[in-house]
Amino acid sequence: MSLRSRFALAFAVVAAVVSATVGVLSYSFASERITAEIDRSLRDTTVALANGQDQVPGSVLALAPRPGPHRDDGERYEMTAQAVARDGTVRHLGGVAVPLPVSDVARALAASAAPGRTHTAEVVVGGHCYRQLTTALGQGRGALQVAIHIDPANRLLGGLRNEVAVLCLAVMLAAAAMGWLVAGRITRRLVRLARVAEDVSVHDLADREVRVDGSDEVGRLSAAFNTMLGRLAAAREDQERLVEDAAHELRTPLTSLRTNTSVLRRYTDLSPDARDRLLDDVEGEARELSHLADELVELALARYNDEDEAPVELAAVAHRAAERLRRRTGRPVRIDADDSVVRGRRQRLERAISNLLENAAKFDDDGTEPIEVRIRQGTITVSDRGPGMKPDDEARVFDRFYRADTARGLPGSGLGLAIVRDVAEAHGGAVFARARPGGGATVGFTVGGSRLSPPE
C-alpha cells in the first residue's frame, strides 16, 4: 500500500471513529430523552388516577414534532389504563381499549401491601409495542397499569439511527477523499525525493538535486538530502583524488624497490660498500612505504573516527605531543599556553599537534633553537628556525602529497599537514602557514570559537 493510500485510509478511519462516536452519543441522548418523556407521562397519569381522576387521555404529545409542513403538530402517542385487582382481574379505566397483559410481577404488585412500588416493561399487544408502568396502590387496593403506544418513538429512533449511519458513511468518504488530496500534495515531494534516491543508487551522483519546496519537514528533508548528495559527491571526488595521489606517490618507492630487487640478484658480485648502500636504500624505501601506508590509513579513517567529543585542555595535549617528540628526536620544545579548553576529540587534536612538531623538527635539523608552541584562545601555533617558506608554498603545504622544493630530499609523504587540516576543519577551525620573521616558518591551526569553553 502506498503512502498516499495510507494517508487516505487514516483520514477515513479517524473521521469514521469521530462521526460514529458523535452519532452514537446523539442517538443515546435522543433515546433517553424520548424514554424519559414517555415515563414522565406514565407517572403523571398514574398519579392522577390514584388521586381519583376518572378520565384517561386517549393520547399524549410526543417530545419530538413531526417533520414537514406541520412541524408544530407533534406525534401523538396512544395511551390506555386499567386497574388490576388483588385476584388478578382487570378493569379498563380509559384511553384506547387495549387489553394489557398482566404478568406475575403485576399480580405481585397488586397483592402487595406496600404502596408506590412500580415496575416498567415493554409489552407487545396486537402487533404493537407499548411501554407499560405498573404501580402498587397498597392496602389491598390492587395496582394501576398505564401504557403508551411507542411504535412512533421506535420509528423515530430507527430513522435517526439510519440518518446517523448515512452521515457517518458520508463523512468517512469525504474524509477519505480529502485525505487522498492532501496526501497527494504531501507525498508528491516525497515521491520526487524517492525517485532521485533511486537514480542515485543506480547512476552517478553528479548533477543530482531535489527541488526544495517550502520550509516544512518535507522541505527540510529535501534540503538535507541535497546536502547529503553534495557531501557524497565530494567524498567520491576526494576518494578518487586520494587514490590517484596515493598511486602516484607509491609509484616512486615501488619502482626503486623493483630496481633494487633486480640488483639483489647479483648480490654476490657487489662490493661490500655497494651491498651496504643497497641494503640501506631498500630499508629506507621500505620504511617510507610503511610510513606512507600508515598516514594513508590515518587520513582515510580520520573522518570516521568514533572517538567521543569531550572537553580537551590544549596545553595538556601539547605537552604530551612535545614529550613524545623529545623521546624520539631529543629536540627541545618550549610551550607557551593559556588555559584554553575546547570541546573536541583528544586523540585527533594530539595527532595534529604531533604532526606540526614533527614537521618543524624535520625542517629545523640544526637543533640549537627549541621548537616553540604557542596556544592562545584555541589557536595552536608551532614555530621553527628552519629554511622558511616561500609565498607560493604557504597556500599549498596542507594539500595532500604536496612537497615543497626544500622538502624533496627529506623523508615524509606529504600527508602530515593534510591530516592537520582535516582535524582543524572537523573542529570548526582552519589552518595557516607563513614565514617566520628572522627565518623559519610558523604553521598552525585554529579551533572554532563555538567549541571554546569559558575559563573556570
Side-chain angles (χ1 to χ4, degrees), residues 343-410:
R343 190 184 76 259
R345 294 180 171 87
R346 183 182 304 274
Q347 295 180 5
R348 296 196 64 189
L349 289 170
E350 187 172 342
R351 177 62 190 271
I353 297 176
S354 295
N355 286 0
L356 291 177
L357 291 175
E358 291 175 1
N359 185 75
K362 178 172 64 175
F363 285 95
D364 187 4
D365 56 357
D366 185 14
T368 57
E369 293 285 340
I371 299 173
E372 298 178 2
V373 179
R374 190 172 187 270
I375 299 176
R376 289 291 184 275
Q377 293 298 312
T379 299
I380 299 93
T381 305
V382 177
S383 303
D384 61 66
R385 289 297 181 181
M389 186 178 302
K390 296 180 180 179
D392 294 340
D393 295 332
E394 294 178 1
R396 301 186 59 191
V397 292
F398 295 99
D399 294 342
R400 294 174 180 174
F401 301 106
Y402 178 75
R403 306 288 296 277
D405 294 336
T406 55
R408 297 295 180 183
L410 298 176

Side-chain angles (χ1 to χ4, degrees), residues 1-14:
M1 182 183 293
S2 65
L3 184 60
R4 186 175 185 180
S5 300
R6 292 181 181 179
F7 266 110
L9 181 60
F11 271 74
V13 170
V14 171

Side-chain angles (χ1 to χ4, degrees), residues 57-341:
S59 63
V60 294
L61 188 65
L63 175 66
R66 289 179 180 178
H70 303 289
R71 285 183 60 89
D72 294 336
D73 297 335
E75 183 81 59
R76 303 194 68 83
Y77 295 173
E78 296 176 350
M79 177 177 287
T80 183
Q82 66 183 16
V84 182
R86 295 183 58 183
D87 58 0
T89 59
V90 298
R91 178 171 56 89
H92 183 68
L93 297 179
V96 182
V98 176
L100 298 176
V102 180
S103 64
D104 294 339
V105 176
R107 289 187 176 91
L109 289 177
S112 174
R117 295 177 58 188
T118 62
H119 173 69
T120 304
E122 292 186 3
V123 297
V124 178
V125 180
H128 299 288
C129 187
Y130 289 82
R131 187 169 179 83
Q132 175 182 278
L133 174 64
T134 303
T135 305
L137 297 176
Q139 299 177 355
R141 293 185 299 168
L144 292 176
Q145 282 189 322
V146 182
I148 293 180
H149 182 212
I150 60 173
D151 282 347
N154 291 337
R155 286 194 300 270
L156 177 63
L157 292 176
L160 179 61
R161 184 169 56 248
N162 293 334
E163 291 176 359
V164 168
V166 172
L167 181 61
C168 289
L169 180 61
V171 170
M172 182 180 67
L173 294 178
M178 183 63 66
W180 180 263
L181 295 177
V182 173
R185 294 181 60 86
I186 296 176
T187 59
R188 182 172 61 248
R189 293 179 290 171
L190 294 177
V191 170
R192 188 166 60 235
L193 183 63
R195 188 180 299 115
V196 174
E198 291 171 353
D199 292 341
V200 168
S201 64
V202 178
H203 303 95
D204 192 11
L205 293 172
D207 299 330
R208 302 288 178 181
E209 187 175 356
V210 181
R211 189 177 66 195
V212 179
D213 297 332
S215 58
D216 56 0
E217 287 77 3
V218 180
R220 289 165 51 196
L221 177 61
S222 300
F225 190 80
N226 287 335
T227 303
M228 182 187 69
L229 288 181
R231 291 185 177 179
L232 285 175
R236 174 72 64 83
E237 295 176 359
D238 197 39
Q239 182 184 34
E240 292 175 353
R241 185 170 63 254
L242 176 63
V243 171
E244 292 174 358
D245 293 344
H248 175 74
E249 291 296 322
L250 288 171
R251 188 175 294 113
T252 299
L254 288 175
T255 301
S256 177
L257 281 176
R258 282 197 300 268
T259 302
N260 290 331
T261 301
S262 63
V263 175
L264 283 175
R265 295 181 181 277
R266 299 181 291 106
Y267 183 77
T268 56
D269 299 335
L270 300 176
S271 64
D273 292 340
R275 293 175 185 176
D276 293 339
R277 289 195 303 272
L278 179 61
L279 292 176
D280 290 340
D281 192 14
V282 171
E283 184 180 3
E285 294 294 345
R287 186 167 51 251
E288 286 297 319
L289 277 176
S290 177
H291 184 66
L292 177 60
D294 292 341
E295 290 195 330
L296 282 174
V297 171
E298 170 70 19
L299 189 63
L301 299 181
R303 295 176 181 236
Y304 307 99
N305 193 318
D306 57 356
E307 179 188 3
D308 294 332
E309 292 187 351
V312 180
E313 296 181 7
L314 294 180
V317 173
H319 279 289
R320 281 195 297 271
E323 182 61 28
R324 186 181 302 110
L325 182 70
R326 292 190 193 100
R327 291 197 305 266
R328 292 178 56 185
T329 64
R331 294 295 305 274
V333 178
R334 183 168 59 225
I335 298 177
D336 178 16
D338 60 6
D339 55 354
S340 295
V341 177

